[in-house]
PDB file of all heavy atoms in Angstrom:
ATOM      1  N   GLN A   1       0.841  -1.127  -0.028  1.00  0.00           N
ATOM      2  CA  GLN A   1       0.006   0.063   0.053  1.00  0.00           C
ATOM      3  C   GLN A   1       0.804   1.223   0.009  1.00  0.00           C
ATOM      4  O   GLN A   1       0.379   2.360   0.147  1.00  0.00           O
ATOM      5  CB  GLN A   1      -0.912  -0.041   1.194  1.00  0.00           C
ATOM      6  CG  GLN A   1      -1.873  -1.073   1.274  1.00  0.00           C
ATOM      7  CD  GLN A   1      -2.581  -1.160   2.611  1.00  0.00           C
ATOM      8  OE1 GLN A   1      -2.072  -0.990   3.677  1.00  0.00           O
ATOM      9  NE2 GLN A   1      -3.940  -1.425   2.603  1.00  0.00           N
ATOM     10  N   ASN A   2       2.217   1.087  -0.129  1.00  0.00           N
ATOM     11  CA  ASN A   2       3.104   2.124  -0.042  1.00  0.00           C
ATOM     12  C   ASN A   2       3.059   2.956   1.221  1.00  0.00           C
ATOM     13  O   ASN A   2       3.221   4.241   1.262  1.00  0.00           O
ATOM     14  CB  ASN A   2       2.905   3.132  -1.213  1.00  0.00           C
ATOM     15  CG  ASN A   2       3.139   2.442  -2.598  1.00  0.00           C
ATOM     16  OD1 ASN A   2       4.290   1.895  -2.694  1.00  0.00           O
ATOM     17  ND2 ASN A   2       2.398   2.624  -3.545  1.00  0.00           N
ATOM     18  N   ARG A   3       2.922   2.205   2.320  1.00  0.00           N
ATOM     19  CA  ARG A   3       2.828   2.802   3.706  1.00  0.00           C
ATOM     20  C   ARG A   3       4.065   2.344   4.422  1.00  0.00           C
ATOM     21  O   ARG A   3       3.932   1.465   5.361  1.00  0.00           O
ATOM     22  CB  ARG A   3       1.453   2.463   4.372  1.00  0.00           C
ATOM     23  CG  ARG A   3       0.177   3.041   3.600  1.00  0.00           C
ATOM     24  CD  ARG A   3      -0.966   2.408   4.155  1.00  0.00           C
ATOM     25  NE  ARG A   3      -1.150   2.556   5.592  1.00  0.00           N
ATOM     26  CZ  ARG A   3      -1.765   1.811   6.425  1.00  0.00           C
ATOM     27  NH1 ARG A   3      -2.453   0.607   5.924  1.00  0.00           N
ATOM     28  NH2 ARG A   3      -1.894   2.039   7.707  1.00  0.00           N
ATOM     29  N   ALA A   4       5.189   2.875   4.068  1.00  0.00           N
ATOM     30  CA  ALA A   4       6.459   2.420   4.717  1.00  0.00           C
ATOM     31  C   ALA A   4       6.474   2.617   6.169  1.00  0.00           C
ATOM     32  O   ALA A   4       6.930   1.699   6.849  1.00  0.00           O
ATOM     33  CB  ALA A   4       7.563   3.212   3.912  1.00  0.00           C
ATOM     34  N   GLU A   5       6.109   3.745   6.662  1.00  0.00           N
ATOM     35  CA  GLU A   5       6.232   4.067   8.172  1.00  0.00           C
ATOM     36  C   GLU A   5       5.378   3.074   8.943  1.00  0.00           C
ATOM     37  O   GLU A   5       5.703   2.571   9.944  1.00  0.00           O
ATOM     38  CB  GLU A   5       5.978   5.617   8.412  1.00  0.00           C
ATOM     39  CG  GLU A   5       6.896   6.472   7.931  1.00  0.00           C
ATOM     40  CD  GLU A   5       6.626   7.941   8.303  1.00  0.00           C
ATOM     41  OE1 GLU A   5       5.559   8.127   8.971  1.00  0.00           O
ATOM     42  OE2 GLU A   5       7.379   8.740   7.887  1.00  0.00           O
ATOM     43  N   ALA A   6       4.001   2.810   8.433  1.00  0.00           N
ATOM     44  CA  ALA A   6       3.191   1.981   9.107  1.00  0.00           C
ATOM     45  C   ALA A   6       3.752   0.402   9.087  1.00  0.00           C
ATOM     46  O   ALA A   6       3.615  -0.284  10.040  1.00  0.00           O
ATOM     47  CB  ALA A   6       1.850   1.930   8.409  1.00  0.00           C
ATOM     48  N   ALA A   7       4.389   0.100   7.974  1.00  0.00           N
ATOM     49  CA  ALA A   7       4.984  -1.154   7.929  1.00  0.00           C
ATOM     50  C   ALA A   7       6.209  -1.323   8.944  1.00  0.00           C
ATOM     51  O   ALA A   7       6.243  -2.293   9.654  1.00  0.00           O
ATOM     52  CB  ALA A   7       5.551  -1.543   6.503  1.00  0.00           C
ATOM     53  N   ALA A   8       6.963  -0.284   9.028  1.00  0.00           N
ATOM     54  CA  ALA A   8       8.181  -0.266  10.007  1.00  0.00           C
ATOM     55  C   ALA A   8       7.665  -0.318  11.415  1.00  0.00           C
ATOM     56  O   ALA A   8       8.272  -1.062  12.193  1.00  0.00           O
ATOM     57  CB  ALA A   8       8.977   0.974   9.652  1.00  0.00           C
ATOM     58  N   ALA A   9       6.502   0.343  11.716  1.00  0.00           N
ATOM     59  CA  ALA A   9       5.943   0.311  13.004  1.00  0.00           C
ATOM     60  C   ALA A   9       5.493  -0.993  13.546  1.00  0.00           C
ATOM     61  O   ALA A   9       5.812  -1.387  14.635  1.00  0.00           O
ATOM     62  CB  ALA A   9       4.799   1.302  13.013  1.00  0.00           C
ATOM     63  N   VAL A  10       4.897  -1.739  12.575  1.00  0.00           N
ATOM     64  CA  VAL A  10       4.398  -3.162  13.059  1.00  0.00           C
ATOM     65  C   VAL A  10       5.583  -4.067  13.144  1.00  0.00           C
ATOM     66  O   VAL A  10       5.390  -4.998  13.841  1.00  0.00           O
ATOM     67  CB  VAL A  10       3.276  -3.610  11.959  1.00  0.00           C
ATOM     68  CG1 VAL A  10       3.950  -4.162  10.665  1.00  0.00           C
ATOM     69  CG2 VAL A  10       2.389  -4.653  12.718  1.00  0.00           C
ATOM     70  N   LEU A  11       6.620  -3.835  12.390  1.00  0.00           N
ATOM     71  CA  LEU A  11       7.910  -4.658  12.540  1.00  0.00           C
ATOM     72  C   LEU A  11       8.782  -4.334  13.717  1.00  0.00           C
ATOM     73  O   LEU A  11       9.534  -5.197  14.098  1.00  0.00           O
ATOM     74  CB  LEU A  11       8.697  -4.582  11.293  1.00  0.00           C
ATOM     75  CG  LEU A  11       8.214  -5.154  10.018  1.00  0.00           C
ATOM     76  CD1 LEU A  11       8.922  -4.709   8.811  1.00  0.00           C
ATOM     77  CD2 LEU A  11       8.209  -6.723  10.064  1.00  0.00           C
ATOM     78  N   LYS A  12       8.537  -3.208  14.332  1.00  0.00           N
ATOM     79  CA  LYS A  12       9.500  -2.770  15.336  1.00  0.00           C
ATOM     80  C   LYS A  12       9.673  -3.685  16.478  1.00  0.00           C
ATOM     81  O   LYS A  12      10.808  -3.918  16.903  1.00  0.00           O
ATOM     82  CB  LYS A  12       9.065  -1.352  15.925  1.00  0.00           C
ATOM     83  CG  LYS A  12      10.042  -0.699  16.749  1.00  0.00           C
ATOM     84  CD  LYS A  12       9.633   0.689  17.307  1.00  0.00           C
ATOM     85  CE  LYS A  12      10.759   1.420  18.003  1.00  0.00           C
ATOM     86  NZ  LYS A  12      11.281   0.674  19.094  1.00  0.00           N
ATOM     87  N   PRO A  13       8.623  -4.311  17.076  1.00  0.00           N
ATOM     88  CA  PRO A  13       8.811  -5.295  18.133  1.00  0.00           C
ATOM     89  C   PRO A  13       9.710  -6.453  17.841  1.00  0.00           C
ATOM     90  O   PRO A  13      10.499  -6.923  18.628  1.00  0.00           O
ATOM     91  CB  PRO A  13       7.455  -5.787  18.528  1.00  0.00           C
ATOM     92  CG  PRO A  13       6.502  -4.690  18.172  1.00  0.00           C
ATOM     93  CD  PRO A  13       7.185  -4.127  16.868  1.00  0.00           C
ATOM     94  N   ILE A  14       9.635  -6.901  16.533  1.00  0.00           N
ATOM     95  CA  ILE A  14      10.484  -7.949  16.021  1.00  0.00           C
ATOM     96  C   ILE A  14      11.886  -7.586  15.932  1.00  0.00           C
ATOM     97  O   ILE A  14      12.873  -8.204  16.300  1.00  0.00           O
ATOM     98  CB  ILE A  14      10.017  -8.522  14.682  1.00  0.00           C
ATOM     99  CG1 ILE A  14       8.556  -8.945  14.765  1.00  0.00           C
ATOM    100  CG2 ILE A  14      10.829  -9.653  14.157  1.00  0.00           C
ATOM    101  CD1 ILE A  14       7.891  -9.471  13.417  1.00  0.00           C
ATOM    102  N   MET A  15      12.118  -6.314  15.298  1.00  0.00           N
ATOM    103  CA  MET A  15      13.431  -5.708  15.065  1.00  0.00           C
ATOM    104  C   MET A  15      14.117  -5.422  16.407  1.00  0.00           C
ATOM    105  O   MET A  15      15.330  -5.482  16.540  1.00  0.00           O
ATOM    106  CB  MET A  15      13.318  -4.599  14.210  1.00  0.00           C
ATOM    107  CG  MET A  15      12.586  -4.751  12.894  1.00  0.00           C
ATOM    108  SD  MET A  15      13.407  -6.063  11.956  1.00  0.00           S
ATOM    109  CE  MET A  15      14.990  -5.577  11.731  1.00  0.00           C
ATOM    110  N   ASP A  16      13.422  -5.140  17.408  1.00  0.00           N
ATOM    111  CA  ASP A  16      13.848  -4.762  18.754  1.00  0.00           C
ATOM    112  C   ASP A  16      14.431  -6.023  19.506  1.00  0.00           C
ATOM    113  O   ASP A  16      15.165  -5.927  20.547  1.00  0.00           O
ATOM    114  CB  ASP A  16      12.963  -4.073  19.649  1.00  0.00           C
ATOM    115  CG  ASP A  16      12.739  -2.615  19.042  1.00  0.00           C
ATOM    116  OD1 ASP A  16      13.566  -2.164  18.347  1.00  0.00           O
ATOM    117  OD2 ASP A  16      11.735  -1.947  19.468  1.00  0.00           O
ATOM    118  N   ALA A  17      13.861  -7.248  19.019  1.00  0.00           N
ATOM    119  CA  ALA A  17      14.243  -8.454  19.821  1.00  0.00           C
ATOM    120  C   ALA A  17      15.666  -8.944  19.357  1.00  0.00           C
ATOM    121  O   ALA A  17      16.138  -8.564  18.285  1.00  0.00           O
ATOM    122  CB  ALA A  17      13.168  -9.502  19.470  1.00  0.00           C
ATOM    123  N   ASP A  18      16.219  -9.901  20.184  1.00  0.00           N
ATOM    124  CA  ASP A  18      17.455 -10.345  19.710  1.00  0.00           C
ATOM    125  C   ASP A  18      17.310 -11.407  18.667  1.00  0.00           C
ATOM    126  O   ASP A  18      16.274 -12.169  18.651  1.00  0.00           O
ATOM    127  CB  ASP A  18      18.206 -11.081  21.071  1.00  0.00           C
ATOM    128  CG  ASP A  18      18.465 -10.078  22.033  1.00  0.00           C
ATOM    129  OD1 ASP A  18      18.814  -8.910  21.682  1.00  0.00           O
ATOM    130  OD2 ASP A  18      18.519 -10.448  23.289  1.00  0.00           O
ATOM    131  N   GLY A  19      18.332 -11.645  17.645  1.00  0.00           N
ATOM    132  CA  GLY A  19      18.247 -12.601  16.720  1.00  0.00           C
ATOM    133  C   GLY A  19      17.182 -12.481  15.804  1.00  0.00           C
ATOM    134  O   GLY A  19      16.400 -13.442  15.568  1.00  0.00           O
ATOM    135  N   THR A  20      17.033 -11.267  15.237  1.00  0.00           N
ATOM    136  CA  THR A  20      15.901 -11.036  14.220  1.00  0.00           C
ATOM    137  C   THR A  20      16.094 -12.019  13.054  1.00  0.00           C
ATOM    138  O   THR A  20      17.217 -12.118  12.521  1.00  0.00           O
ATOM    139  CB  THR A  20      16.003  -9.580  13.711  1.00  0.00           C
ATOM    140  OG1 THR A  20      15.939  -8.707  14.872  1.00  0.00           O
ATOM    141  CG2 THR A  20      14.945  -9.270  12.758  1.00  0.00           C
ATOM    142  N   ASP A  21      14.945 -12.559  12.544  1.00  0.00           N
ATOM    143  CA  ASP A  21      15.095 -13.459  11.427  1.00  0.00           C
ATOM    144  C   ASP A  21      15.189 -12.702  10.118  1.00  0.00           C
ATOM    145  O   ASP A  21      14.973 -11.509   9.945  1.00  0.00           O
ATOM    146  CB  ASP A  21      13.683 -14.312  11.311  1.00  0.00           C
ATOM    147  CG  ASP A  21      12.571 -13.430  11.142  1.00  0.00           C
ATOM    148  OD1 ASP A  21      12.046 -12.770  12.189  1.00  0.00           O
ATOM    149  OD2 ASP A  21      12.079 -13.291  10.025  1.00  0.00           O
ATOM    150  N   THR A  22      15.782 -13.448   9.143  1.00  0.00           N
ATOM    151  CA  THR A  22      16.063 -12.886   7.857  1.00  0.00           C
ATOM    152  C   THR A  22      14.811 -12.310   7.043  1.00  0.00           C
ATOM    153  O   THR A  22      14.946 -11.138   6.499  1.00  0.00           O
ATOM    154  CB  THR A  22      16.764 -13.950   6.978  1.00  0.00           C
ATOM    155  OG1 THR A  22      17.838 -14.514   7.554  1.00  0.00           O
ATOM    156  CG2 THR A  22      17.184 -13.266   5.573  1.00  0.00           C
ATOM    157  N   ALA A  23      13.651 -12.962   7.250  1.00  0.00           N
ATOM    158  CA  ALA A  23      12.442 -12.444   6.594  1.00  0.00           C
ATOM    159  C   ALA A  23      12.117 -11.143   7.142  1.00  0.00           C
ATOM    160  O   ALA A  23      11.692 -10.154   6.353  1.00  0.00           O
ATOM    161  CB  ALA A  23      11.383 -13.472   6.760  1.00  0.00           C
ATOM    162  N   SER A  24      12.074 -11.028   8.490  1.00  0.00           N
ATOM    163  CA  SER A  24      11.746  -9.695   9.042  1.00  0.00           C
ATOM    164  C   SER A  24      12.747  -8.505   8.642  1.00  0.00           C
ATOM    165  O   SER A  24      12.405  -7.367   8.451  1.00  0.00           O
ATOM    166  CB  SER A  24      11.574  -9.829  10.475  1.00  0.00           C
ATOM    167  OG  SER A  24      10.625 -10.701  11.000  1.00  0.00           O
ATOM    168  N   LEU A  25      14.030  -8.952   8.617  1.00  0.00           N
ATOM    169  CA  LEU A  25      14.987  -8.007   8.141  1.00  0.00           C
ATOM    170  C   LEU A  25      14.798  -7.503   6.682  1.00  0.00           C
ATOM    171  O   LEU A  25      14.866  -6.325   6.518  1.00  0.00           O
ATOM    172  CB  LEU A  25      16.399  -8.627   8.251  1.00  0.00           C
ATOM    173  CG  LEU A  25      17.043  -8.518   9.685  1.00  0.00           C
ATOM    174  CD1 LEU A  25      18.292  -9.415   9.677  1.00  0.00           C
ATOM    175  CD2 LEU A  25      17.425  -7.203  10.011  1.00  0.00           C
ATOM    176  N   GLY A  26      14.514  -8.431   5.991  1.00  0.00           N
ATOM    177  CA  GLY A  26      14.177  -8.106   4.543  1.00  0.00           C
ATOM    178  C   GLY A  26      13.040  -7.082   4.454  1.00  0.00           C
ATOM    179  O   GLY A  26      12.998  -6.101   3.646  1.00  0.00           O
ATOM    180  N   LEU A  27      11.960  -7.310   5.162  1.00  0.00           N
ATOM    181  CA  LEU A  27      10.774  -6.418   5.260  1.00  0.00           C
ATOM    182  C   LEU A  27      11.176  -5.090   5.714  1.00  0.00           C
ATOM    183  O   LEU A  27      10.781  -4.015   5.172  1.00  0.00           O
ATOM    184  CB  LEU A  27       9.666  -7.056   6.068  1.00  0.00           C
ATOM    185  CG  LEU A  27       8.928  -8.184   5.418  1.00  0.00           C
ATOM    186  CD1 LEU A  27       8.033  -8.896   6.382  1.00  0.00           C
ATOM    187  CD2 LEU A  27       8.037  -7.793   4.248  1.00  0.00           C
ATOM    188  N   ALA A  28      12.003  -5.043   6.785  1.00  0.00           N
ATOM    189  CA  ALA A  28      12.475  -3.817   7.441  1.00  0.00           C
ATOM    190  C   ALA A  28      13.233  -2.968   6.387  1.00  0.00           C
ATOM    191  O   ALA A  28      13.213  -1.768   6.330  1.00  0.00           O
ATOM    192  CB  ALA A  28      13.179  -4.085   8.697  1.00  0.00           C
ATOM    193  N   VAL A  29      14.077  -3.675   5.559  1.00  0.00           N
ATOM    194  CA  VAL A  29      14.894  -3.051   4.506  1.00  0.00           C
ATOM    195  C   VAL A  29      14.045  -2.382   3.570  1.00  0.00           C
ATOM    196  O   VAL A  29      14.164  -1.253   3.140  1.00  0.00           O
ATOM    197  CB  VAL A  29      15.854  -4.129   3.942  1.00  0.00           C
ATOM    198  CG1 VAL A  29      16.544  -3.481   2.689  1.00  0.00           C
ATOM    199  CG2 VAL A  29      16.929  -4.546   4.914  1.00  0.00           C
ATOM    200  N   ARG A  30      13.055  -3.210   2.999  1.00  0.00           N
ATOM    201  CA  ARG A  30      12.027  -2.569   2.110  1.00  0.00           C
ATOM    202  C   ARG A  30      11.363  -1.402   2.512  1.00  0.00           C
ATOM    203  O   ARG A  30      11.156  -0.478   1.791  1.00  0.00           O
ATOM    204  CB  ARG A  30      11.062  -3.699   1.645  1.00  0.00           C
ATOM    205  CG  ARG A  30      11.636  -4.779   0.785  1.00  0.00           C
ATOM    206  CD  ARG A  30      10.785  -5.889   0.572  1.00  0.00           C
ATOM    207  NE  ARG A  30       9.370  -5.512   0.028  1.00  0.00           N
ATOM    208  CZ  ARG A  30       8.340  -6.255   0.077  1.00  0.00           C
ATOM    209  NH1 ARG A  30       8.367  -7.480   0.602  1.00  0.00           N
ATOM    210  NH2 ARG A  30       7.268  -5.778  -0.541  1.00  0.00           N
ATOM    211  N   ALA A  31      10.970  -1.433   3.849  1.00  0.00           N
ATOM    212  CA  ALA A  31      10.194  -0.269   4.460  1.00  0.00           C
ATOM    213  C   ALA A  31      11.058   0.887   4.382  1.00  0.00           C
ATOM    214  O   ALA A  31      10.852   1.976   4.092  1.00  0.00           O
ATOM    215  CB  ALA A  31       9.717  -0.650   5.854  1.00  0.00           C
ATOM    216  N   SER A  32      12.336   0.668   4.766  1.00  0.00           N
ATOM    217  CA  SER A  32      13.300   1.839   5.033  1.00  0.00           C
ATOM    218  C   SER A  32      13.579   2.391   3.525  1.00  0.00           C
ATOM    219  O   SER A  32      13.673   3.642   3.403  1.00  0.00           O
ATOM    220  CB  SER A  32      14.674   1.346   5.661  1.00  0.00           C
ATOM    221  OG  SER A  32      14.397   0.859   6.875  1.00  0.00           O
ATOM    222  N   LEU A  33      13.854   1.497   2.575  1.00  0.00           N
ATOM    223  CA  LEU A  33      14.094   1.984   1.232  1.00  0.00           C
ATOM    224  C   LEU A  33      12.886   2.705   0.694  1.00  0.00           C
ATOM    225  O   LEU A  33      13.040   3.813   0.054  1.00  0.00           O
ATOM    226  CB  LEU A  33      14.319   0.880   0.316  1.00  0.00           C
ATOM    227  CG  LEU A  33      15.736   0.146   0.482  1.00  0.00           C
ATOM    228  CD1 LEU A  33      15.895  -1.070  -0.298  1.00  0.00           C
ATOM    229  CD2 LEU A  33      16.817   1.002   0.294  1.00  0.00           C
ATOM    230  N   LEU A  34      11.602   2.242   0.927  1.00  0.00           N
ATOM    231  CA  LEU A  34      10.435   2.991   0.426  1.00  0.00           C
ATOM    232  C   LEU A  34      10.317   4.359   1.187  1.00  0.00           C
ATOM    233  O   LEU A  34       9.845   5.293   0.486  1.00  0.00           O
ATOM    234  CB  LEU A  34       9.232   2.176   0.764  1.00  0.00           C
ATOM    235  CG  LEU A  34       7.872   2.627   0.080  1.00  0.00           C
ATOM    236  CD1 LEU A  34       7.907   2.671  -1.276  1.00  0.00           C
ATOM    237  CD2 LEU A  34       6.716   1.625   0.679  1.00  0.00           C
ATOM    238  N   ALA A  35      10.807   4.395   2.355  1.00  0.00           N
ATOM    239  CA  ALA A  35      10.711   5.632   3.005  1.00  0.00           C
ATOM    240  C   ALA A  35      11.892   6.655   2.675  1.00  0.00           C
ATOM    241  O   ALA A  35      11.876   7.698   3.093  1.00  0.00           O
ATOM    242  CB  ALA A  35      10.640   5.448   4.583  1.00  0.00           C
ATOM    243  N   GLY A  36      12.740   6.086   1.919  1.00  0.00           N
ATOM    244  CA  GLY A  36      13.978   6.946   1.587  1.00  0.00           C
ATOM    245  C   GLY A  36      15.050   6.924   2.713  1.00  0.00           C
ATOM    246  O   GLY A  36      15.974   7.754   2.729  1.00  0.00           O
ATOM    247  N   ASP A  37      14.875   6.110   3.747  1.00  0.00           N
ATOM    248  CA  ASP A  37      15.819   5.958   4.799  1.00  0.00           C
ATOM    249  C   ASP A  37      16.863   5.139   4.534  1.00  0.00           C
ATOM    250  O   ASP A  37      16.975   3.859   5.005  1.00  0.00           O
ATOM    251  CB  ASP A  37      15.074   5.613   6.118  1.00  0.00           C
ATOM    252  CG  ASP A  37      15.880   5.850   7.359  1.00  0.00           C
ATOM    253  OD1 ASP A  37      17.138   6.082   7.187  1.00  0.00           O
ATOM    254  OD2 ASP A  37      15.462   5.642   8.453  1.00  0.00           O
ATOM    255  N   TYR A  38      17.812   5.390   3.594  1.00  0.00           N
ATOM    256  CA  TYR A  38      18.845   4.484   3.101  1.00  0.00           C
ATOM    257  C   TYR A  38      19.807   3.956   4.201  1.00  0.00           C
ATOM    258  O   TYR A  38      20.265   2.867   4.184  1.00  0.00           O
ATOM    259  CB  TYR A  38      19.565   5.025   1.990  1.00  0.00           C
ATOM    260  CG  TYR A  38      18.717   5.509   0.738  1.00  0.00           C
ATOM    261  CD1 TYR A  38      18.638   6.743   0.301  1.00  0.00           C
ATOM    262  CD2 TYR A  38      17.862   4.507   0.196  1.00  0.00           C
ATOM    263  CE1 TYR A  38      17.736   7.052  -0.623  1.00  0.00           C
ATOM    264  CE2 TYR A  38      17.038   4.872  -0.918  1.00  0.00           C
ATOM    265  CZ  TYR A  38      17.016   6.111  -1.266  1.00  0.00           C
ATOM    266  OH  TYR A  38      16.152   6.468  -2.281  1.00  0.00           O
TER     267      TYR A  38
END
């Protein structure tokens, strides 16, 4: 839906945990790129 900030917000609890999985990292990367946060 091109809602990068909302995507990053729902991923934040996963990203804040230890040992983040590759799939979640991939989504977080896409959210950051879409938001222009390189």
Side-chain angles (χ1 to χ4, degrees):
Q1 294 171 321
N2 293 316
R3 297 168 56 205
E5 292 183 2
V10 79
L11 287 170
K12 190 175 186 305
I14 303 177
M15 303 306 298
D16 289 344
D18 294 332
T20 304
D21 62 280
T22 303
S24 298
L25 276 169
L27 288 166
V29 168
R30 287 171 56 196
S32 297
L33 290 174
L34 184 60
D37 188 353
Y38 301 120

